[in-house]
Amino acid sequence: MAKMEVKTSLLDYMIGVGDMVLLEPLNEDSFINNLKKRFDHNEVYTYIGSVVISINPYRPLPIYTPEKVEEYRNRNFYELSPHIFALSDEAYRSLRDQDKDQCILITGESGAGKTEASKFVMSYVAAVCGKGAEVNQVKEQLLQSNPVLEAFGNAKTVRNDNSSRFGKYMDIEFDFKGDPLGGVISNYLLEKSRVVKQPRGERNFHIFYQILSGASEDFLCKLKLERDFSRYNYLGLDSAKVNGVDDAANFRTVRNAMQIVGFMDHETQSVFEVVAAVLKLGNIEFKPESRVNGLDESKIKDKNELKEICELTGIDQSVLERAFSFRTVEAKQEKVSTTLNVAQAYYARDALAKNLYSRLFSWLVTRINESIKAQTKVRKKVMGVLDIYGFEIFENADNSFEQFIINYCNEKLQQIFIELTLKEEQEEYIREGIEWTHIEYFNNAIICDLIENNQTGILAMLDEECLRPGTVTDDTFLEKLNQVCATHQHFESRMSKCSRFLNDTTLPHSCFRIQHYAGKVMYQVEGFVDKNNDLLYRDLSQAMWKASHSLIKALFPEGNPAKINLKRPPTAGSQFKASVATLMKNLQTKNPNYIRCIKPNDKKAAHIFNDALVCHQIRYLGLLENVRVRRAGYAFRQAYEPCLERYKMLCKQTWPHWRGPARAGVEVLFNELEIPEEEFSFGRSKIFIRNPRTLFKLEDLRKQRLEDLATLIEKIYRGWKCRTHFLLMKKSQIVIAAWFRRYAQQKKYQKIRSSAVIIQSYIRGWKARKLLRELKHQKRCNEAATIIAAYWHGTQARRELKRLKEEARRKHAVAVIWAYWLGLKVRREYRKFFRANAGRKIYEFTLQRLMQKYFLEMKNKMPSLSPIDKNWPARPYLFLDSTHKELKRIFHLWRCKKYRDQFTDQQKLIYEEKLEASELFKDKKALYPASVGQPFQGAYLEISKNPKYKKLKDAVDEKIIIAEVVNKINRANGKATSRIFLLTKNNVLLADQKSGNIKSEVPLGDVTKVSMSSQNDGFFAVHLKEGSGAASKGDFLFSSDHLIEMATKLYRTTLSQTKQKLNIEISDEFLVQFRQDKVCVKFIQGSQKNGNIPTCKRKNNRLLEVAVP
Ligand SMILES: Nc1ncnc2c1ncn2[C@@H]1O[C@H](COP(=O)(O)OP(=O)(O)O)[C@@H](O)[C@H]1O
Ligand SMILES: [Mg+2]
């Protein structure tokens, strides 16, 4: 990520104050409130100058991501909000760039987050330092040493599920480029008593549980272990399982880490064998056995466990058994063996277990060191990380030797802290050339002296007591303390000679109290001597040395009889004092960086901030002291450049740019702001501000000024924006106007132009019309002249014509008159020669001439020869009228004859019949005209061809004239029945239409009359002679479509046969004889129900009505 150009500062967006040095007013309440406020806003880090206060959030926060690492990388310490990464970065960079060895001191109560903090520091450094395969392997080994040490050195306590039970200092070594080379780990005072006994609610070291949970069955079998926790006396049962901790998985992690760190397989195996041996040691139990000398001797109850331990460790069982029963004391070349009673045996067993485990732990550290140590001999830069137990104060005088030692360590750390801080402060002042003023602060050297003084110190006296011959108890030790330290200001005891506390009931008799820099702590003296002695019977160490197990053998070098050392081993106290001294020396050579961890509550819970608890920690961590020391001189300092950069806007000369050295700029700035001179000092590269108030004032002014600047910028920006906008609009307006004018001008021009054209056209038109008018006038004039001339010529001509006509008439008249005169003269002369018959001859001649002309014309005008052609030329002369008519008649007759002459005999017969019909019915029967066009066929029914009528045909031998189907009207009801009507030469026959059977036969002689109406119907009655054979049933009434033909043929046949004319009566009312009755058949013209078909209806006895259309 590109480094941001904008410089930020810790002072930006600050919640509370990010640096306690700036706290106003400074007191415990404001201090806690500030922490609380920040804690509530997830700000778990706060500075005191360059010290980081860290409050355990007890929940994962998203502030350790790789992005965050990048954010803090290469940034100024005060540039971003407080963070452990800022401190790590500062430390790493001054190590790399300024060649200063660094140490990071992490202190705080158990569970305050020290170990986590140390891991964050290490991971940050690992993330930002060099990269490459080799470097990465080193990094990995350094980081992986943590899980191994945590498995063996951490345990669940009531305060922390992963509490480190040892102090750890790790030097990480870098080359000149800042790439890691390796490391060295030192460990301090493992809490080994935990191996054999754990307080309620706590566990033994993690590794025991991890093996039992995580090892395979096979592996367990090899270690002669069983998976069940309850099988082992050393494993407190109350909290074998820890919530959220997967022991089995952790076991795999540990083994993996061991592999990465570089443990060989057999080494790992040995380590676990030792762990198993320790675990099994706890199961060895003793029973008392009375000896002859009356003393009790302990005996091992069940030797099975012992046997397995011996198999596991390769120790001779009898040797170990003996070591649990006897104790050999060597003095002045004499060996005295005493038996152990049961209590002593248990003591020996536990001592062995504790020693075995703590030595194993130390061996592990050494082994890890071997792996991670730098491979080169080049000069190294070192960064030390100290994760050490913080001040421990138990209530109710539960503090014991361990707490004493731990608190001593913290006391030393506080001292070095004060010393280093002051030293650094002082160095800075000198470096910056600022006058050093004395700073008042509490120096805890006096307390350290109380503890560590070689003659009168508590530790020295404890050692003295331990080494003293004779009976030594904790009480004798306390007595001694009472004597020696009675007058010490920070020592309190009831029994001291000084009676200050004689009546202090809060102080029990078996206790002493030390006023540590962080508060008073009451120590219970019980166990001090034993723990300081940390005695392991020589028989046991020798037994261990004799083991064939190489690791165990190596852990107990003092068991080697060849190297018998009669001197007592150093006491725990003196060992610790020595190691602390070395540590202090080591730290003093380095540039210190502090992380002070604070626990916000006792419940390991997130979001809870217990004021009292925090207050307590602030006190014993001496944080207020810390602030005071820091503020003793100048509360705030800053290099000139960032300072000028930050505040330059407060002064006209420095804003916006200061050309010149930054220091001069700051001077101008501070003078301008009229900051009292005692409030600040100019160092070489930094400005020192005495009082936070001044800084805050600057900050306030800056904030105010920034707001003003923002307004100014806004104002200028708005102005600029408006101006540009206006200019743009103006420019646009000009463009628009130009375009508009152009457009308007174009319009105007076009208008003018079109007007001009119109005017022009009008003028031209007018001119043309004028010309036209003139031309027309001229033309008219010409025409008029012509007309006038014409008229004139006409008049002249007409006059001339008139005159000529007149002349001609006169000449004609003269001629006529002359002729008449001549005629008259001739007639007068010849009258006597033309007198008689002249008139008659002229008349005849004329008549003949006319007749001749008439006939000649007629010849040409003759009409066609068709008899029906009615044309005839018109008569030319009236006197020929009768001639003309006669001629027409003759011509018609002639052409008819011509026409007839063409006929065959058959045709002639037909026409005869037609003629007959015409004579009979023309103008009598309305049906007639329709029949004229119909040829008379006679045999409509072809009887001879229809086999149905064979019988009928056979019966009739004569020629058939008519064969036709007629309707015979029923006399009774007027209904029609179909009958075949046959007419032969002699008879009329009626036959059934279907069968052909002859129904009646009437000789023609018996037919008297045929009646029919004058209407357009086919009804006819055939009247029979009265008394004849056929007439018995009465007359026949028929209807036929061929009435005219039938009647005609009946008439002609009767005439030719009987030589009598058949009477045909045409009347609309006639009588018919039906049997005896005479019935009147009446034809009525009127509406018909069934269209045009005539209907017949018998009305009564006398009347049959036929309705015709
Ligand atoms: N910065 C942190 N963020 C989140 N959890 C933390 C942090 N520091 C500590 N803790 C929690 O608090 C527990 C105790 O921390 P630890 O470092 O082991 O304490 P100490 O070493 O001081 O005894 C850790 O197991 C972890 O759950
Ligand atoms: Mg820890």
Side-chain angles (χ1 to χ4, degrees):
M1 195 178 73
K3 203 176 159 191
M4 289 206 300
E5 275 306 309
V6 183
K7 280 265 189 273
T8 52
S9 165
L10 147 108
L11 298 168
D12 293 326
Y13 314 115
M14 208 160 60
I15 294 159
V17 289
D19 191 341
M20 288 294 189
V21 173
L22 304 176
L23 199 61
E24 274 291 326
L26 176 66
N27 58 43
E28 218 168 60
D29 286 344
S30 63
F31 196 102
I32 292 170
N33 283 338
N34 189 38
L35 279 185
K36 184 172 183 177
K37 188 171 174 191
R38 291 177 64 74
F39 179 78
D40 289 343
H41 287 83
N42 292 335
E43 289 283 353
V44 294
Y45 297 112
T46 309
Y47 294 150
I48 302 177
S50 57
V51 174
V52 175
I53 303 173
S54 154
I55 306 180
N56 189 348
Y58 279 119
R59 72 201 157 96
L61 290 178
I63 55 170
Y64 305 109
T65 55
E67 291 77 38
K68 276 279 170 191
V69 170
E70 281 307 316
E71 196 180 326
Y72 278 88
R73 192 172 181 166
N74 294 329
R75 297 293 283 269
N76 201 311
F77 188 71
Y78 292 108
E79 215 176 293
L80 298 171
S81 61
H83 199 292
I84 194 164
F85 287 170
L87 176 125
S88 312
D89 194 68
E90 179 80 3
Y92 176 69
R93 278 197 296 141
S94 48
L95 169 114
R96 191 188 58 191
D97 306 337
Q98 293 167 24
D99 204 13
K100 273 196 224 158
D101 283 353
Q102 302 289 321
C103 64
I104 292 164
L105 308 180
I106 309 170
T107 53
E109 197 166 307
S110 177
K114 299 181 295 293
T115 308
E116 294 295 320
S118 77
K119 287 193 237 171
F120 288 135
V121 171
M122 282 167 71
S123 61
Y124 180 84
V125 171
V128 300
C129 70
K131 302 208 160 56
E134 214 170 303
V135 174
N136 282 350
Q137 196 203 337
V138 174
K139 278 190 210 170
E140 196 57 19
Q141 284 192 335
L142 289 175
L143 293 176
Q144 289 300 325
S145 67
N146 269 329
V148 181
L149 290 181
E150 282 191 10
F152 286 88
N154 288 23
K156 179 219 149 101
T157 68
V158 281
R159 288 138 197 267
N160 183 353
D161 289 347
N162 182 32
S163 177
S164 326
R165 306 317 298 164
F166 66 106
K168 179 182 156 199
Y169 173 77
M170 181 173 186
D171 265 336
I172 310 170
E173 298 166 333
F174 296 86
D175 66 6
F176 68 99
K177 303 195 299 289
D179 289 353
L181 294 169
V184 186
I185 299 171
S186 317
N187 64 315
Y188 299 97
L189 194 74
L190 178 76
E191 187 202 37
K192 58 190 171 190
S193 60
R194 181 167 297 271
V195 177
V196 298
K197 191 167 189 301
Q198 305 91 40
R200 276 197 83 79
E202 301 196 356
R203 288 209 311 185
N204 212 322
F205 293 100
H206 293 326
I207 192 67
F208 294 113
Y209 305 92
Q210 289 176 354
I211 289 189
L212 295 188
S213 313
S216 63
E217 291 295 339
D218 219 27
F219 193 51
L220 280 183
C221 191
K222 246 188 225 164
L223 297 179
K224 300 185 191 302
L225 290 177
E226 287 168 49
R227 211 177 274 293
D228 186 4
F229 295 159
S230 62
R231 276 278 293 117
Y232 299 99
N233 293 339
Y234 280 167
L235 302 185
L237 273 184
D238 357 337
S239 46
K241 277 262 166 266
V242 183
N243 273 348
V245 174
D246 182 351
D247 285 317
N250 286 346
F251 182 64
R252 287 189 288 278
T253 314
V254 170
R255 289 202 68 163
N256 184 41
M258 285 173 92
Q259 207 175 10
I260 292 173
V261 171
F263 280 82
M264 313 295 272
D265 281 350
H266 72 267
E267 285 173 324
T268 317
Q269 172 80 17
S270 305
V271 169
F272 290 128
E273 279 166 2
V274 176
V275 174
V278 172
L279 207 48
K280 291 172 87 67
L281 268 180
N283 286 358
I284 295 180
E285 286 179 341
F286 302 97
K287 58 182 183 203
E289 214 175 72
S290 299
R291 289 271 304 265
V292 240
N293 57 9
L295 287 171
D296 266 355
E297 193 191 272
S298 78
K299 269 270 178 271
I300 293 172
K301 263 191 206 160
D302 174 12
K303 291 191 181 162
N304 202 29
E305 202 79 46
L306 183 74
K307 185 170 146 254
E308 283 185 0
I309 294 174
C310 291
E311 281 168 6
L312 207 56
T313 53
I315 301 172
D316 192 342
Q317 192 180 335
S318 59
V319 174
L320 191 54
E321 198 179 337
R322 199 189 137 72
F324 280 133
S325 316
F326 293 94
R327 179 186 172 192
T328 312
V329 182
E330 272 179 65
K332 295 165 194 162
Q333 270 86 44
E334 270 180 56
K335 276 191 190 176
V336 185
S337 239
T338 50
T339 54
L340 299 179
N341 59 25
V342 173
Q344 284 169 325
Y346 275 116
Y347 178 85
R349 178 198 74 173
D350 288 349
L352 178 61
K354 287 193 276 189
N355 265 290
L356 205 50
Y357 191 82
S358 69
R359 287 172 194 220
L360 174 69
F361 187 72
S362 300
W363 179 87
L364 276 173
V365 173
T366 321
R367 176 67 189 78
I368 290 171
N369 280 338
E370 240 170 69
S371 277
I372 64 173
K373 79 168 174 235
Q375 301 296 318
T376 54
K377 290 265 181 298
V378 293
R379 213 183 72 75
K380 302 157 199 155
K381 303 178 187 189
V382 176
M383 178 186 283
V385 181
L386 181 68
D387 168 18
I388 202 145
Y389 16 63
F391 234 92
E392 254 178 1
I393 311 173
F394 292 114
E395 323 234 305
N396 306 330
D398 271 348
N399 304 295
S400 175
F401 181 70
E402 284 87 357
Q403 280 68 45
F404 178 69
I405 293 286
I406 288 171
N407 292 348
Y408 160 59
C409 177
N410 277 277
E411 201 69 62
K412 288 294 280 182
L413 282 172
Q414 172 69 7
Q415 202 196 0
I416 193 175
F417 168 68
I418 292 168
E419 270 178 22
L420 288 180
T421 315
L422 284 175
K423 200 171 97 196
E424 196 197 25
E425 195 90 355
Q426 200 165 4
E427 275 171 4
E428 183 161 36
Y429 283 21
I430 293 164
R431 204 167 50 234
E432 292 289 334
I434 287 181
E435 202 185 318
W436 171 251
T437 41
H438 179 70
I439 296 171
E440 273 299 328
Y441 66 95
F442 171 69
N443 191 340
N444 68 337
I446 184 166
I447 308 172
C448 295
D449 189 65
L450 169 68
I451 299 169
E452 66 178 4
N453 188 293
N454 281 339
Q455 270 84 47
T456 54
I458 296 173
L459 282 175
M461 269 177 293
L462 184 57
D463 277 3
E464 225 180 274
E465 269 301 290
C466 291
L467 298 176
R468 180 172 65 86
T471 42
V472 177
T473 62
D474 295 321
D475 293 337
T476 60
F477 164 62
L478 185 57
E479 241 165 69
K480 193 163 188 149
L481 277 188
N482 286 340
Q483 279 173 17
V484 178
C485 308
T487 50
H488 199 285
Q489 271 174 289
H490 294 266
F491 181 83
E492 296 172 6
S493 162
R494 211 120 174 226
M495 305 301 281
S496 66
K497 281 192 271 167
C498 169
S499 56
R500 271 187 300 159
F501 304 100
L502 271 179
N503 298 323
D504 186 348
T505 45
T506 58
L507 186 63
H509 289 283
S510 62
C511 293
F512 64 93
R513 194 154 61 191
I514 295 178
Q515 267 185 37
H516 286 290
Y517 76 97
K520 291 182 179 180
V521 182
M522 190 154 63
Y523 297 101
Q524 170 65 258
V525 80
E526 195 189 313
F528 265 59
V529 172
D530 257 355
K531 285 176 180 169
N532 192 35
N533 266 331
D534 187 22
L535 204 59
L536 178 70
Y537 299 144
R538 182 167 299 156
D539 305 71
L540 280 172
S541 48
Q542 283 178 351
M544 291 296 118
W545 185 81
K546 282 185 192 137
S548 59
H549 193 277
S550 55
L551 177 55
I552 295 181
K553 197 181 185 80
L555 292 182
F556 292 89
E558 85 271 21
N560 184 350
K563 286 193 196 163
I564 259 195
N565 186 357
L566 289 185
K567 262 184 135 182
R568 289 188 56 137
T571 59
S574 57
Q575 266 184 42
F576 190 73
K577 193 170 120 186
S579 55
V580 165
T582 346
L583 177 67
M584 294 306 138
K585 240 191 211 149
N586 187 350
L587 295 181
Q588 255 152 3
T589 63
K590 298 190 164 91
N591 184 41
N593 302 275
Y594 292 96
I595 301 168
R596 323 227 69 181
C597 299
I598 288 178
K599 201 161 114 165
N601 61 67
D602 265 336
K603 300 187 177 107
K604 305 177 196 168
H607 301 297
I608 300 175
F609 190 92
N610 182 336
D611 289 19
L613 189 73
V614 174
C615 175
H616 178 67
Q617 292 173 81
I618 287 167
R619 269 186 210 157
Y620 74 65
L621 284 174
L623 295 185
L624 276 168
E625 285 292 290
N626 199 170
V627 182
R628 285 200 187 102
V629 169
R630 180 79 190 180
R631 278 188 10 174
Y634 293 91
F636 187 77
R637 64 218 63 189
Q638 197 173 28
Y640 288 121
E641 284 81 12
C643 176
L644 183 62
E645 191 60 33
R646 192 165 179 85
Y647 301 115
K648 64 179 179 180
M649 67 289 287
L650 298 181
C651 161
K652 281 209 172 92
Q653 283 104 302
T654 52
W655 175 257
H657 299 294
W658 172 255
R659 297 187 207 292
R663 179 184 165 145
V666 176
E667 275 173 20
V668 169
L669 182 73
F670 275 54
N671 284 335
E672 183 79 8
L673 292 175
E674 291 175 350
I675 295 167
E677 265 179 42
E678 65 276 14
E679 276 298 316
F680 61 90
S681 267
F682 294 109
R684 280 208 180 84
S685 64
K686 288 181 182 170
I687 173 87
F688 287 75
I689 296 172
R690 196 177 295 278
N691 220 311
R693 251 175 288 133
T694 312
L695 182 72
F696 289 137
K697 190 178 150 202
L698 281 174
E699 276 296 308
D700 285 346
L701 285 171
R702 179 175 180 268
K703 213 164 139 194
Q704 182 61 42
R705 180 74 183 129
L706 280 184
E707 274 168 19
D708 292 351
L709 282 178
T711 320
L712 183 71
I713 291 169
E714 202 176 15
K715 191 179 89 186
I716 291 172
Y717 171 72
R718 284 203 184 144
W720 171 83
K721 204 174 149 190
C722 279
R723 200 162 42 251
T724 27
H725 187 63
F726 169 74
L727 286 175
L728 188 71
M729 293 221 299
K730 201 173 143 190
K731 220 165 123 189
S732 314
Q733 188 264 332
I734 289 169
V735 172
I736 293 168
W739 278 92
F740 177 74
R741 283 203 198 118
R742 186 189 133 159
Y743 171 76
Q745 278 312 109
Q746 272 176 349
K747 275 260 156 177
K748 199 172 158 191
Y749 165 74
Q750 268 164 8
K751 226 178 190 168
I752 291 171
R753 204 186 128 168
S754 57
S755 315
V757 170
I758 288 171
I759 292 168
Q760 208 173 33
S761 67
Y762 273 111
I763 289 173
R764 282 191 187 149
W766 174 72
K767 274 186 173 171
R769 275 192 302 279
K770 199 176 152 195
L771 185 66
L772 183 69
R773 253 196 320 273
E774 278 169 9
L775 290 174
K776 272 185 176 170
H777 179 70
Q778 212 172 348
K779 193 181 165 193
R780 255 202 309 273
C781 287
N782 290 346
E783 273 176 3
T786 316
I787 288 170
I788 291 166
Y791 274 109
W792 172 247
H793 287 300
T795 317
Q796 289 282 68
R798 270 189 304 277
R799 250 187 229 162
E800 184 63 16
L801 184 68
K802 210 171 162 186
R803 192 187 58 79
L804 288 175
K805 274 186 176 172
E806 195 54 44
E807 209 175 74
R809 226 180 357 256
R810 276 187 200 155
K811 275 181 187 167
H812 182 66
V814 170
V816 169
I817 294 167
W818 177 248
Y820 273 101
W821 169 247
L822 278 183
L824 188 62
K825 254 170 69 181
V826 168
R827 271 187 311 274
R828 268 181 197 167
E829 204 176 315
Y830 287 94
R831 197 174 297 154
K832 53 201 178 211
F833 306 111
F834 293 103
R835 275 285 155 109
N837 297 330
R840 185 154 180 102
K841 273 198 176 163
I842 291 167
Y843 175 74
E844 274 173 8
F845 175 76
T846 309
L847 209 59
Q848 261 173 8
R849 174 82 188 109
L850 284 175
M851 285 300 283
Q852 190 181 13
K853 197 182 163 197
Y854 169 69
F855 282 119
L856 284 173
E857 273 177 5
M858 276 307 282
K859 187 186 155 196
N860 296 329
K861 284 185 194 166
M862 266 311 143
S864 76
L865 286 181
S866 168
I868 50 172
D869 190 352
K870 292 248 179 355
N871 291 330
W872 189 248
R875 145 180 70 87
Y877 308 108
L878 187 66
F879 74 97
L880 289 177
D881 188 42
S882 54
T883 317
H884 194 67
K885 276 184 185 151
E886 187 58 18
L887 199 57
K888 182 184 173 188
R889 196 186 62 82
I890 293 167
F891 176 75
H892 184 66
L893 288 177
W894 173 76
R895 75 181 173 190
C896 284
K897 183 173 181 307
K898 271 270 185 203
Y899 186 72
R900 276 194 314 268
D901 286 348
Q902 297 163 16
F903 289 168
T904 59
D905 287 345
Q906 181 101 33
Q907 276 174 324
K908 270 184 196 158
L909 208 66
I910 289 170
Y911 281 98
E912 265 171 29
E913 263 178 6
K914 281 278 178 190
L915 189 65
E916 193 84 72
S918 152
E919 281 166 5
L920 286 173
F921 301 110
K922 195 176 175 190
D923 300 331
K924 292 176 189 156
K925 174 95 178 144
L927 191 65
Y928 171 72
S931 76
V932 176
Q934 289 174 359
F936 291 167
Q937 288 177 9
Y940 288 93
L941 210 61
E942 288 185 90
I943 290 169
S944 54
K945 285 184 189 154
N946 197 335
K948 208 164 90 177
Y949 302 132
K950 191 178 179 308
K951 224 167 100 189
L952 180 62
K953 198 218 159 220
D954 292 342
V956 184
D957 43 5
E958 295 159 318
K959 188 184 175 241
I960 292 169
I961 298 165
I962 292 176
E964 158 72 315
V965 176
V966 296
N967 286 323
K968 180 178 166 278
I969 307 300
N970 190 315
R971 293 160 182 122
N973 51 15
K975 293 234 169 86
T977 334
S978 294
R979 285 278 184 270
I980 301 173
F981 183 97
L982 297 179
L983 173 66
T984 60
K985 257 162 117 183
N986 296 313
N987 297 308
V988 171
L989 290 138
L990 290 176
D992 189 75
Q993 197 201 358
K994 280 177 198 140
S995 58
N997 289 337
I998 296 171
K999 290 274 182 181
S1000 344
E1001 189 169 2
V1002 182
L1004 285 182
D1006 287 351
V1007 175
T1008 54
K1009 191 168 85 172
V1010 173
S1011 308
M1012 64 186 71
S1013 75
S1014 62
Q1015 312 281 341
N1016 197 6
D1017 62 277
F1019 283 89
F1020 66 98
V1022 178
H1023 301 270
L1024 303 180
K1025 196 191 274 173
E1026 255 175 79
S1028 70
S1032 59
K1033 282 181 187 165
D1035 299 342
F1036 291 105
L1037 186 60
F1038 297 112
S1039 121
S1040 169
D1041 292 341
H1042 304 102
L1043 167 62
I1044 302 295
E1045 185 186 357
M1046 285 174 84
T1048 309
K1049 283 200 163 142
L1050 200 58
Y1051 176 82
R1052 277 169 66 88
T1053 317
T1054 314
L1055 188 64
S1056 68
Q1057 283 310 116
T1058 56
K1059 310 290 178 216
Q1060 280 179 357
K1061 279 187 182 173
L1062 182 64
N1063 185 12
I1064 294 181
E1065 186 188 345
I1066 298 173
S1067 161
D1068 286 346
E1069 224 181 289
F1070 49 82
L1071 288 172
V1072 182
Q1073 184 77 39
F1074 283 170
R1075 289 180 203 260
Q1076 275 79 44
D1077 306 326
K1078 278 203 190 301
V1079 175
C1080 176
V1081 178
K1082 193 173 179 181
F1083 291 85
I1084 301 162
Q1085 210 164 14
S1087 60
Q1088 236 71 34
K1089 274 178 209 145
N1090 31 357
N1092 283 339
I1093 299 153
T1095 52
C1096 190
K1097 212 168 180 184
R1098 177 82 186 243
K1099 282 277 172 187
N1100 54 40
N1101 286 350
R1102 305 269 165 226
L1103 185 63
L1104 188 78
E1105 233 174 51
V1106 181
V1108 291

